[in-house]
Amino acid sequence: MVNFSKIGHGHRFFLLPQRTSQLGLHTGPGDDKIELAQDIKNVEDRLDEPSITLNSFILSPPPTGRSDLDWDRDESWFRANNVLFMNNSNYVQKVFDTLGVFDSTEATSSPQTI
């Protein structure tokens, strides 16, 4: 888990490095790690604390073949489920864009791995 704080707001997010071929060998797109993106937002809603944002992201090397990504899903589905492919040069920026962190100089502390 990574903890990133801006003045008055805390971001907690999971970065899960995982090949798409190893996700849900039996479950495919319904894999628990993929569903964590929605599950953690449900937890955020139950917390009812506007100063805390929760997210999870899967960082995956690009698919190397049809067997790596035989889910019949397009790129927008992966983005919506916070599955980012590391062949995209701005995948790290996409994480921060999703978090709403545009100016790292506003941070009150450096990101910390917990």
Side-chain angles (χ1 to χ4, degrees), residues 18-93:
Q18 187 76 56
R19 277 195 167 285
T20 53
S21 62
Q22 296 173 343
L23 287 172
L25 295 175
H26 303 289
T27 57
D31 186 89
D32 290 343
K33 290 178 184 174
I34 292 174
E35 290 182 351
L36 180 61
Q38 182 58 51
D39 292 344
I40 203 164
K41 294 313 268 182
N42 293 338
V43 170
E44 179 183 318
D45 289 343
R46 287 194 311 267
L47 285 175
D48 195 28
E49 178 57 54
S51 66
I52 296 177
T53 300
L54 303 174
N55 279 289
S56 74
F57 300 89
I58 294 173
L59 303 179
S60 178
T64 57
R66 185 78 177 133
S67 63
D68 267 8
L69 199 54
D70 194 18
W71 296 352
D72 194 29
R73 299 290 194 264
D74 64 9
E75 186 178 336
S76 64
W77 182 89
F78 287 98
R79 274 195 312 265
N81 287 282
N82 291 346
V83 178
L84 304 174
F85 295 102
M86 296 186 295
N87 63 325
N88 186 329
S89 63
N90 65 349
Y91 74 94
V92 173
Q93 184 62 44

